[in-house]
Amino acid sequence: MILKGTFLHTPALGELEIRPNAYLVTEGRQVAGLYDTLPPQYENQPVTDWGDALIIPAFTDLHIHAPQIVNRGIGYDKQLLPWLETYTFPAEARFADPVFADRAWKAFLNKLWAVGTMRFSAFATIHKEAAWRLMELTEQSGLRGLIGKVNMDRNAPDDLREDTDASLADTEELICRSREELKHTGFILTPRFVPSTTARLMEGLGGLAEKYDLPVQSHLSENPSEVAWVSQLHPDIPTYTQVYDCFGLLRQDKTIMAHAIYLSEGEKALLKDRGTMLAHCALSNVNLSSGVMPLRQNLAQGLRCCAASDVAGGHTAAMTHTVTATVQTSKLNWLTHPDQSPLSLAEAFYLATRGAGAFFGDVGAFLPGYEFDALVLRPTELDALVERTPFEQLEQFLYDGDDRSIAARYCAGALVPQPFPNSTRG
Ligand code: GUN
Ligand code: FE
């Protein structure tokens, strides 16, 4: 495939490359090269000419709750723990109904497609059937996802509290089934968070992680009441981070921890050592009054970080909003921490593209050998009134753009049409 257009990407944190009127050549799923003039060996091949469109890497969202797509914007009068009890758990309980689950999953995948998220790591619910259906639909969608059946065997309402052995058996069944039947959709172990998983369940999940060499996702140090609760539940383990580590759940370079706001220097050193990906959830941290992650400091200390939506703590799956909220919250943090400079828009964009894409391998930039995930942006009539540089076009898309500006989406080298055209687009 050969595409022509203006390419913009962030190959590294703090780097921005813009290539006007360039040619991008793909071979299979991957980028073969980005050229200012087309090399002679490609001269007789068809070119998809996107004219003066801006072509950017598609988004990767490493922390999103698929069932909570129905709860966007709901219940931000409360903080984390009462918000879960009041709004989130009742919504997730509805996924015991396969008909409801099917409709919600299709709307979820259509929504991710619409907003330009081509890869994601999602929490499903505790329900084995619903989690499997989300895996199957993701496989059909053309998007690339890691999906986890949620595990919860304590401190959950009756209809969401699992028997420990059943939770482990259901999880192992899904791991095996997805390995046999799916090519592009992976399983990710998903203990909800320490307060809702007993030591025996975490130990069992640590065993499955080792046995099947699986990635893990969970929540860490999001809210002060939650952190205090974890230290009551595990008085013998000094920190929240060490609870996960004790049970083998901080797998080397294979664990995503969302929020990670209230960390000691010792916890940060451990997370850095384990190569844990910290998902910074700017919208959720504000909506649930959780706190401000010291993102600049974490990056300077060499921690792996990405930007993620955390729907429905975050009120939208659109990563454009997550990117701009990442910049905005870093500016507010700067006012009280003058040593922590705010993030630039390009840095925040990196965290939602190459930074997050790294969890899937070489993804999120237009470098040779990288999988080609991209969005083709066309300015709206309003945007086109004033001539803009490519970077200004990116700024306007991130701050005030929406799916009407996305003319085409590519994932792993293929054009992706709307996954479920007969279902709601969201
Ligand atoms: N901690 C445990 N469960 C959840 C959840 O669903 N959302 C958020 N934001 N935090 C959590
Ligand atoms: Fe979350």
Side-chain angles (χ1 to χ4, degrees), residues 65 68 80 83-84 88 192-193 219 222 259 284 288 310:
H65 297 263
Q68 296 177 31
L80 176 66
W83 173 80
L84 286 171
T88 307
R192 181 172 211 115
F193 67 158
H219 296 92
E222 175 175 3
H259 305 282
S284 173
L288 299 179
D310 192 28

Side-chain angles (χ1 to χ4, degrees), residues 59 142 387 397:
F59 297 112
E387 200 175 319
F397 172 64

